């Protein structure tokens, strides 16, 4: 605050009457190190139009002369060479400018203003910063501090409307995805003081880095879960603004959320019918991203069957001696089973990770007759079945 009641105007020709009036603010806030302008306009009797006049400003706290338009020697040492009129007295303008305000208890609190603009990754944008002041003395400098890899490119201009000077700087930049969340600073600088305004950059971009994760088992785009258990699968993405997320299966929407970069898909109790390909789609106003995940449901061997191309009667196969024969053991399981054919405690044939196994007889004899057993096994369990081979003589 300049003085207790700022400065008062005194005109040597002043006469206390209703024909005289002055219009100036009751107080003016100034910043340490800057100049300050106190607007002032007055009216006087028309018959004094061509009379000489003198403008005098006083410091109301010390009653010292801050400005004298005719006699500079009476100006207080404190204000010597620091005060001047910005207007012309004969034009009814008595506005005062004080350069280099030096009040010790005054901090520079005026800040520039950044006008936010929508930023999209890879698209050029202009950012505007302005600083308003009523002081036409020392001119400020507006500069930008950016996180960009290249030095900032900015244009500068000054405009005036009535008593206000507006300093404008327009920054041209092309924001990148990596600049999202970083700071953009506009700084106003005077010879002895400065202030700044900081804007956190919100760079909009299409969905990227879509990922699918699960607490169970994730191998690239494959999720494998045991039948009968519960499962949850998370789809997450990076985007700004946040994406609309959707889970789909066989062309049907299962789950969706708006303006959220995460979406869970839950299975309270998995069955083999839940197995298949699921798709997560992320979309915002700038683009779309999608990814598939294959859900497999693991289970122990089931529905083990034994078949014979020529003759199958329940668990009995009848073949004439001297003929060939082939018997197929097949099973349903995931992961695939290890299959074994055995006879009288002896392993005849095995295969790993295959749900089918043939047992072949090139030429049957009576010694081949008997009970044969097929065993299927994976990490979740075992299944087995017997078949009796009967060899008929001619």
């Amino acid at each position: 605050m300049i003085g207790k009641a700022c400065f008062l105007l005194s005109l040597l020709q002043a006469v206390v009457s209703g024909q005289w009036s002055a219009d100036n603010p009751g107080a003016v806030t100034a910043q340490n190190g800057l100049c300050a302008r106190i607007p002032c306009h007055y009216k006087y009797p028309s018959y004094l139009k061509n009379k000489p006049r003198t403008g005098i400003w006083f410091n109301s706290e010390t009653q010292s002369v801050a400005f004298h338009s005719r006699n500079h020697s009476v100006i207080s040492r404190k204000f010597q060479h620091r005060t001047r009129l910005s207007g012309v007295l004969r034009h009814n303008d008595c506005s005062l400018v004080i350069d280099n305000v030096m009040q010790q208890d005054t901090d520079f609190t005026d800040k520039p203003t950044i006008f936010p603009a929508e930023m999209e990754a890879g698209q050029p944008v202009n950012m505007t910063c302005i600083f308003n002041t009523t002081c036409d003395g020392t001119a400020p400098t507006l500069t930008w501090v950016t996180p960009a890899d290249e030095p900032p490119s900015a244009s500068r201009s000054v405009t005036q409307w009535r008593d206000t000077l507006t300093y404008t700087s327009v920054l041209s930049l092309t924001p990148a995805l990596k600049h999202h969340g970083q700071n953009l600073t506009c700084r106003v600088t005077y010879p002895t003081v400065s202030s700044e305004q900081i804007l956190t950059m919100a760079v909009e971009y299409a969905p990227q880095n879509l990922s699918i994760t699960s607490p169970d088992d994730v191998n690239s785009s494959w999720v494998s879960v045991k039948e009968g258990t519960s499962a949850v699968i998370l789809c997450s993405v990076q985007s700004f603004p946040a994406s609309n997320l959707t889970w789909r299966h066989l062309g049907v929407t299962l789950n969706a959320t708006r303006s959220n970069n995460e979406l869970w898909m839950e299975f309270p109790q998995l069955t083999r019918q839940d197995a298949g390909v699921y798709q997560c789609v992320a979309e915002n106003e700038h683009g779309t991203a999608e990814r598939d995940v294959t859900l497999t449901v693991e289970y122990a061997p089931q529905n083990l069957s034994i078949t014979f191309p020529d003759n199958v009667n329940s668990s009995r196969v009848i073949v004439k001696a001297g003929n060939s024969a082939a018997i197929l053991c097949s099973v349903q399981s995931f992961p695939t089973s290890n299959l074994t054919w055995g006879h009288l405690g002896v392993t005849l044939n095995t295969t790993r990770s295959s749900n089918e196994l043939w047992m072949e007889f090139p030429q049957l004899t009576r010694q081949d007759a008997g009970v044969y057993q097929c065993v299927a096994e994976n990490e979740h369990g075992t299944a087995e079945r017997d078949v009796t081979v009967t060899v008929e003589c001619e």
Side-chain angles (χ1 to χ4, degrees), residues 110-116 119 127-130 143-147 179 181-188 195-202:
D110 284 354
K111 294 180 179 292
T113 300
I114 299 176
F115 290 89
M119 297 185 186
M127 301 294 295
T128 301
C129 177
I130 68 168
T143 56
W144 290 89
V145 180
T146 74
H179 298 141
Q182 297 189 26
N183 289 336
L184 182 66
T185 303
C186 179
R187 182 173 296 150
V188 58
S195 70
E196 62 187 30
Q197 182 73 40
I198 299 175
L199 174 72
T200 300
M201 299 175 67

Side-chain angles (χ1 to χ4, degrees), residues 50-372:
N50 296 321
K51 299 293 183 180
R53 65 207 66 189
T54 300
I56 304 173
W57 282 87
F58 291 94
N59 185 322
S60 61
E61 287 187 344
T62 63
Q63 293 302 309
S64 59
V65 177
F67 175 79
H68 197 295
S69 64
R70 288 183 177 270
N71 187 0
H72 293 178
S73 64
V74 299
I75 299 176
S76 168
R77 178 181 298 180
K78 177 180 178 180
F79 294 103
Q80 283 286 341
H81 310 296
R82 294 177 51 229
T83 56
R84 55 189 166 86
L85 294 181
S86 65
V88 179
L89 285 176
R90 66 175 179 272
H91 295 161
N92 301 4
D93 191 339
C94 49
S95 301
L96 179 73
V97 173
I98 307 172
D99 288 323
N100 191 23
V101 175
M102 297 185 297
Q103 291 165 293
Q104 299 301 316
D105 60 347
T106 301
D107 293 324
F108 183 34
T109 57
D110 284 354
K111 294 180 179 292
T113 300
I114 299 176
F115 290 89
E118 183 176 292
M119 297 185 186
E120 182 179 353
Q123 298 298 317
V125 66
N126 290 331
M127 301 294 295
T128 301
C129 177
I130 68 168
F131 181 73
N132 292 323
T133 180
T134 58
C135 175
D136 61 354
T138 305
T141 301
L142 285 180
T143 56
W144 290 89
V145 180
T146 74
D149 299 328
E150 299 180 359
S153 172
S155 62
R156 296 171 178 83
S157 62
V158 182
T159 58
Q160 183 171 4
W161 188 77
R162 294 185 178 177
D163 297 327
T164 301
L165 288 168
T166 299
Y167 293 83
T168 302
S169 180
V170 179
L171 172 71
S172 299
L173 76 160
T174 302
L177 178 58
K178 64 181 179 180
H179 298 141
H180 181 69
Q182 297 189 26
N183 289 336
L184 182 66
T185 303
C186 179
R187 182 173 296 150
V188 58
T189 304
Y190 282 91
T192 59
V193 293
S194 66
S195 70
E196 62 187 30
Q197 182 73 40
I198 299 175
L199 174 72
T200 300
M201 299 175 67
V203 182
E204 299 188 1
Y205 57 98
Q208 297 184 10
N209 301 326
L210 190 151
S211 65
I212 294 176
T213 57
S214 170
D216 299 298
D217 182 23
V218 178
N219 181 10
S220 183
S221 58
W222 196 283
V223 177
S224 189
V225 187
K226 186 178 179 181
E227 186 177 33
T229 62
S230 62
V232 291
I233 304 175
L234 173 65
C235 176
S236 60
V237 72
Q238 295 176 351
S239 71
F240 186 81
S243 295
N244 300 328
L245 287 177
T246 304
W247 274 111
R248 296 174 182 166
H249 177 54
L250 299 177
V252 178
T253 297
L254 305 177
N255 195 8
T257 186
R258 295 187 62 82
S259 301
N260 194 337
N261 280 348
E262 289 188 352
L263 180 60
W264 290 90
M265 179 171 57
E266 300 182 359
F267 299 90
Q269 189 174 19
L270 281 162
T271 67
R272 275 172 279 175
Q273 287 69 37
D274 293 319
V277 177
Y278 292 80
Q279 183 182 55
C280 180
V281 180
E283 182 178 12
N284 71 6
E285 60 193 81
H286 300 294
T288 303
E290 59 184 53
R291 188 172 181 183
D292 293 344
V293 59
T294 300
L295 173 65
T296 60
V297 180
E298 299 187 3
Y299 56 97
Q302 297 180 11
N303 301 325
L304 190 150
S305 65
I306 295 176
T307 56
F308 178 60
D310 297 320
N311 182 20
V312 177
N313 180 10
S314 182
S315 57
R316 181 180 294 273
V317 176
I318 301 174
V319 186
K320 290 183 178 181
N323 289 347
S324 62
I327 304 173
L328 174 65
C329 176
S330 60
V331 72
Q332 295 176 352
S333 70
F334 190 85
T336 53
S337 297
N338 300 327
L339 288 177
T340 302
W341 275 110
H343 176 55
L344 298 177
V346 178
T347 298
L348 303 177
N349 195 8
T350 62
T351 185
R352 296 185 62 82
S353 301
S354 176
N355 280 348
E356 289 187 353
L357 180 61
W358 287 91
M359 179 174 60
E360 298 180 354
F361 300 92
Q363 189 174 19
L364 281 159
T365 67
R366 282 181 291 177
Q367 287 72 26
D368 294 321
V371 177
Y372 292 80

Side-chain angles (χ1 to χ4, degrees), residues 21-32:
S21 65
D23 180 18
N24 68 295
V28 173
T29 300
Q31 305 301 323
N32 184 35

